[in-house]
Amino acid sequence: MKRDLIYLILIVAAIAAVKVTAQMTPETPAEIRPLRIEAGFTKTVHILFPSPVTYIDIGSMDIIAGKADGAENVVRVKAAVRNFAAETNLTVITEDGGFFTFDVHYAENPAVSTLNLTVQEPQPESMKKPAAVGYPQPTAPASEGRVLLREVGREKPATIKRMLSDIYRQNRTDVKGIRTKKYGIEVEVLGIYVFNDVIYIHSCISNDTNISFEVDARHFIVADRKLTKRTAQQQSTLEVLRVCNDPAVVRGHQRQRTVFALPKLTISDDKVLLLEIIEKNGARHQTVEIPAEELLEAKLL
């Protein structure tokens, strides 16, 4: 009986020792399995990541990879040479700590041209299809990828498009007195709005003549107030992010409205924002001055 008790104590002690040893043993590192993607020489593959990309590394000079212009979370991948034989790899790290690795193979016509790695909406079982071996499952059609645009404060492109459309559809006049008229052409600012650090400017151009006004270019320029009627010195041009209804021609006795989306903007009292409209093959150029205080009083959408 005493012997059985000793054996039992030894067994319990052995089990306890095994558990302690297991806890002290380092865990096996988790394997990060790369996704298989294809790159072509004449086609570009775009990969949409859930947050801004901070690091990109390519395994060989057979491929080219980089962030898409103006976007923070979209990476373009393309073959640098035709029919490269050896498999290469691509590694991407994102701002939120995400680590992504890809095995890249050559294909003249890549099977997947856009890969969405953002949070996906659940798919009904009836919509799910077995993915090919080594290929990622496509995103649900109802899911819209979020492109993080540097210029728009990472606002969702669909939101900007909706804001532009709403301003144009409502056709409100919330600003008065910001206008210019020369040669029978009048340009007027009807409203200035802001939403999520994106500035929206609602403008109108009217042609009171019988000769069509062809628009060659539209520019938004920040300029010193005292130099607006002189040269282009001390001026900086802003990039227009998006436009709703940008007519190339304003025909005789016609009126056209346009809504512009601009990056976040504040200017000092000694500067103005200029909306400059250049006539193609003509001399009826128009320039509207938008004072700094009007920008600060932009209406919240």
Side-chain angles (χ1 to χ4, degrees):
M1 186 71 177
K2 188 180 293 186
R3 182 182 296 177
D4 293 340
L5 182 59
I6 293 174
Y7 285 152
L8 180 60
I9 294 173
L10 290 174
I11 292 172
V12 172
I15 294 173
V18 170
K19 288 184 177 180
V20 171
T21 303
Q23 290 176 356
M24 294 177 62
T25 302
E27 294 183 359
T28 303
E31 179 185 1
I32 300 177
R33 294 188 178 181
L35 290 174
R36 175 191 170 98
I37 62 173
E38 295 174 336
F41 186 76
T42 59
K43 290 188 177 181
T44 302
V45 174
H46 290 85
I47 308 174
L48 181 60
F49 293 89
S51 65
V53 171
T54 57
Y55 173 85
I56 300 174
D57 181 74
I58 57 175
S60 74
M61 300 303 292
D62 289 337
I63 61 172
I64 303 169
K67 287 198 288 187
D69 294 341
E72 290 290 281
N73 67 322
V74 180
V75 171
R76 299 176 299 179
V77 184
K78 196 171 184 178
V81 295
R82 285 186 181 275
N83 300 311
F84 64 82
E87 174 189 286
T88 186
N89 70 317
L90 169 70
T91 300
V92 175
I93 298 176
T94 56
E95 191 176 75
D96 61 355
F99 184 92
F100 302 85
T101 180
F102 306 87
D103 285 340
V104 186
H105 300 256
Y106 184 84
E108 192 66 27
N109 293 295
V112 177
S113 60
T114 303
L115 182 60
N116 185 1
L117 300 181
T118 59
V119 177
Q120 300 181 11
E121 297 178 3
Q123 285 181 275
E125 291 298 324
S126 58
M127 291 179 60
K128 291 184 178 179
K129 296 180 181 179
V133 176
Y135 285 90
Q137 182 73 18
T139 304
S143 175
E144 179 180 349
R146 180 183 176 88
V147 177
L148 306 179
L149 298 174
R150 208 172 31 241
E151 309 94 329
V152 297
R154 298 177 185 171
E155 178 58 279
K156 193 172 184 179
T159 302
I160 297 176
K161 182 179 179 180
R162 187 178 69 249
M163 291 295 177
L164 289 168
S165 179
D166 287 347
I167 294 170
Y168 185 84
R169 177 176 49 81
Q170 293 173 10
N171 191 17
R172 291 160 43 183
T173 301
D174 293 314
V175 172
K176 295 182 179 179
I178 304 180
R179 66 178 65 186
T180 186
K181 186 172 183 178
K182 293 187 299 183
Y183 316 116
I185 306 296
E186 181 178 34
V187 178
E188 181 181 10
V189 174
L190 303 177
I192 303 174
Y193 310 94
V194 62
F195 184 79
N196 279 0
D197 285 342
V198 179
I199 302 293
Y200 298 89
I201 295 182
H202 182 200
S203 66
C204 177
I205 180 169
S206 302
N207 185 356
D208 294 334
T209 73
N210 296 320
I211 302 174
S212 295
F213 183 89
E214 291 189 64
V215 179
D216 185 42
R218 304 175 191 257
H219 304 293
F220 281 92
I221 301 170
V222 177
D224 288 343
R225 186 188 295 272
K226 295 179 180 179
L227 298 178
T228 54
K229 300 188 183 301
R230 298 183 189 177
T231 65
Q233 295 178 354
Q234 303 299 319
Q235 296 183 350
S236 59
T237 303
L238 297 178
E239 182 179 359
V240 177
L241 305 178
R242 299 287 189 278
V243 181
C244 177
N245 187 40
D246 190 12
V249 179
V250 182
R251 304 196 180 280
H253 304 285
Q254 189 181 50
R255 183 175 183 266
Q256 290 277 6
R257 292 182 297 110
T258 304
V259 186
F260 300 92
L262 302 176
K264 181 178 69 174
L265 172 69
T266 58
I267 57 179
S268 57
D269 292 338
D270 62 340
K271 294 185 181 294
V272 293
L273 178 64
L274 305 178
L275 168 54
E276 184 180 71
I277 302 177
I278 307 299
E279 182 182 19
K280 184 177 182 180
N281 300 323
R284 296 178 293 175
H285 312 317
Q286 305 291 317
T287 302
V288 184
E289 296 185 14
I290 304 173
E293 55 269 22
E294 292 290 349
L295 291 172
L296 291 176
E297 295 175 2
K299 291 185 176 295
L300 182 64
L301 293 172

